[in-house]
Amino acid sequence: MTDRPLTLMAVHAHPDDEATGTGGILARYAAEGIRTVLVTCTDGGCGDGPEGVKPGDPGHDPAAVTAMRRQELQASCDVLKISDLEMLDYADSGMMGWPSNDAPGAFWQTPVEEGAARLAELMRHYRPDVVVTYDENGFYGHPDHIQAHRITMAALEMTTLTPKVYWTTAPRSMMQRFGEVMREFAEDMPEPDPAEAAAMAKIGLPDDEITTWVDATAFSGQKFDALAAHASQGENIFFLKMGKERFGELMGVETFVRVRDTTGAAVPENDLFAGLR
Ligand SMILES: [Zn+2]
């Protein structure tokens, strides 16, 4: 149809989000010969440090965390066979309400138009056929995820090149199974506080509102290994504890809501590139 490769662009907030949310599709589409472009918006400096030092604790050095996570991101990209990694290198804003939300250079403080203009440049360069990012709540309310959503949607408006656009989501049926597995593998974890539990309950969508189910179970080993590359981040350890097989059963199918389509492909669909090849 064209003289350039079919291209998938995933826009993520932090190093490791590419693996958790879209590791399956990135690995699967790379194996199908599709060019895969990952845009990571922040440096992940508010993540856990070496030896599990938490942000805000003494000895947490954002510069050291950033350097470590840059290497982890590269290792994850190698596992997932990502064609092109682009980093916008904004400072990680931390969780909602943290003082780092207001720090100079924080992604959350960056005007949407500025971030969008930089992302639009990348879109003009790669001309992605499919763009994937988060919904307007950033899937779970993290400011950098919300901001990644905002700059992506603004950049898409500026470029109008991309026929298919998706937001990551999770079916409620899966969230329920996820909760059960979590209790099984994380019995030493404290019960979530009510606010956290209420936030979790709002994540995802009823199954019949999901437009796109992509089976990447055959690539869940790569997804697991990509997450293992980010083992310094405490929240990933839960997934790794599950082991590859259980992980593949739970996390092998990735789901999306299609929010733009100019191809006319029917939904529900099982391929982000339906109508494009
Ligand atoms: Zn993130």
Side-chain angles (χ1 to χ4, degrees):
M1 286 194 292
T2 61
D3 54 357
R4 65 193 173 78
L6 275 176
T7 300
L8 167 66
M9 176 182 279
V11 183
H12 280 295
H14 308 105
D16 81 1
D17 293 318
E18 80 288 348
T20 331
T22 54
I25 56 160
L26 288 166
R28 173 180 155 175
Y29 288 121
E32 292 180 8
I34 286 170
R35 179 168 63 168
T36 52
V37 181
L38 169 63
V39 181
T40 300
C41 295
T42 79
D43 58 13
C46 289
D48 295 349
E51 318 292 330
V53 181
K54 294 286 175 190
D57 284 355
H60 186 273
D61 170 11
V65 177
T66 294
M68 176 182 71
R69 298 195 73 184
R70 180 74 184 77
Q71 288 187 355
E72 293 178 341
L73 180 59
Q74 189 56 57
S76 168
C77 287
D78 292 346
V79 169
L80 298 172
K81 302 204 163 31
I82 286 169
S83 324
D84 299 270
L85 168 63
E86 298 284 353
M87 308 207 46
L88 299 186
D89 269 328
Y90 291 108
D92 190 338
S93 312
M95 296 293 192
M96 196 63 92
W98 289 8
S100 48
N101 292 178
D102 305 319
F107 190 33
W108 191 233
Q109 290 301 315
T110 303
V112 169
E113 316 79 68
E114 183 199 310
R118 291 183 61 201
L119 185 55
E121 270 311 295
L122 294 174
M123 288 178 179
R124 288 186 195 104
H125 176 70
Y126 289 105
R127 302 178 70 88
D129 303 277
V130 171
V131 168
V132 176
T133 190
Y134 315 109
D135 61 25
E136 65 275 14
N137 186 41
F139 186 66
Y140 75 110
H142 190 299
D144 290 329
H145 289 236
I146 294 170
Q147 188 77 330
H149 163 86
R150 289 177 179 168
I151 73 162
T152 304
M153 299 317 286
L156 286 163
E157 288 303 312
M158 291 172 182
T159 56
T160 65
L161 290 166
T162 299
K164 297 185 90 179
V165 178
Y166 294 89
W167 296 342
T168 56
T169 190
R172 290 269 155 75
S173 60
M174 184 271 210
M175 291 304 295
Q176 195 174 342
R177 267 187 298 141
F178 188 81
E180 288 158 15
V181 175
M182 202 152 175
R183 280 188 287 280
E184 182 185 336
F185 281 91
E187 69 239 322
D188 46 347
M189 275 168 56
E191 283 287 312
D193 67 53
E196 205 178 310
M200 282 291 282
K202 274 192 263 167
I203 290 177
L205 286 175
D207 290 29
D208 61 2
E209 288 178 30
I210 289 171
T211 59
T212 310
W213 305 68
V214 183
D215 187 355
T217 311
F219 300 90
S220 59
Q222 269 171 275
K223 180 172 176 168
F224 184 91
D225 290 342
L227 257 182
H230 295 288
S232 68
Q233 302 307 300
E235 72 266 22
N236 295 332
I237 289 166
F238 158 69
F239 292 110
L240 301 175
K241 262 166 66 176
M242 240 184 253
K244 257 185 194 173
E245 201 169 320
R246 287 301 291 282
F247 180 79
E249 285 164 21
L250 194 64
M251 306 283 286
V253 176
E254 294 181 351
T255 50
F256 305 88
V257 180
R258 194 171 81 184
V259 293
R260 180 197 285 180
D261 172 66
T262 61
T263 72
V267 287
E269 58 183 4
N270 59 13
D271 177 13
L272 300 178
F273 288 85
L276 289 166
R277 55 178 175 175

